[in-house]
Amino acid sequence: MTTPAERPSVLFVCIHNAGRSQMAAAFLTHLAGDRVEVRSAGSAPADTVNPAVVEAMAEVDIDISTEVPKVLTVEAVQASDVVITMGCGDTCPVFPGKRYLDWQLPDPAGQGVAAVRPIRDEIEMRIRGLLDEIAPAGQA
């Protein structure tokens, strides 16, 4: 059994915390259950999650309609083992000893659900690969 202190912690960061980082956090939470601690934040958070993103996630039976964009804090970065940036640029704080990944993904801002679907599917594929690496299914 994995204790909370042993669980890997992942932080997803994008500019608005309204699209890519919300989808990534939702997929990791959905697929990992309590094996991974998941956070998401934005360097300049929007007021609400992108409605096309909410709709695209609902199509795969993941409800993010109650999620709220959160501001990126130094504490969130310090508390995370893996920090995955998605186009937040130079505003992402960097700390020694953390693992950083930068996922280049199109920004779903202003896009309809048809344009969000391929971004969603790419994020799901990357999340599955990350999960296999940091918290394989046999590690519960």
Side-chain angles (χ1 to χ4, degrees), residues 4 29 32 36 42 45 54-58 61 63 66-67 72 76 78 104 107 111 114 119 122 125-127 131 139:
T29 299
V36 178
V54 172
E55 184 179 340
M57 292 302 286
D61 295 323
D63 180 6
T66 61
E67 294 298 324
L72 177 65
Q78 289 175 324
Q104 296 294 317
D107 188 347
Q111 306 281 349
I119 301 167
E122 174 71 16
M125 184 187 74
R126 290 180 187 214
I127 291 297
L131 186 56
Q139 267 191 1

Side-chain angles (χ1 to χ4, degrees), residues 17-91:
N17 190 222
R20 296 165 289 187
S21 57
Q22 290 284 352
M23 287 190 283
F27 271 123
L28 186 54
T29 299
H30 178 76
L31 296 169
D34 63 358
R35 291 181 293 151
V36 178
E37 185 177 355
V38 181
R39 298 179 181 86
S40 72
S43 53
D47 293 330
T48 60
V49 174
N50 179 333
V53 167
V54 172
E55 184 179 340
M57 292 302 286
E59 291 176 353
V60 295
D61 295 323
I62 299 176
D63 180 6
I64 62 169
S65 62
T66 61
E67 294 298 324
V68 177
K70 294 168 267 329
V71 69
L72 177 65
T73 65
V74 169
E75 293 78 19
V77 176
Q78 289 175 324
S80 301
D81 300 311
V82 181
V83 178
I84 299 176
T85 58
M86 301 171 165
C88 75
D90 295 334
T91 60

Side-chain angles (χ1 to χ4, degrees), residues 86-106:
M86 301 171 165
C88 75
D90 295 334
T91 60
C92 294
V94 175
F95 293 95
K98 304 292 175 192
R99 179 175 174 203
Y100 289 87
L101 300 171
D102 185 41
W103 290 357
Q104 296 294 317
L105 296 159

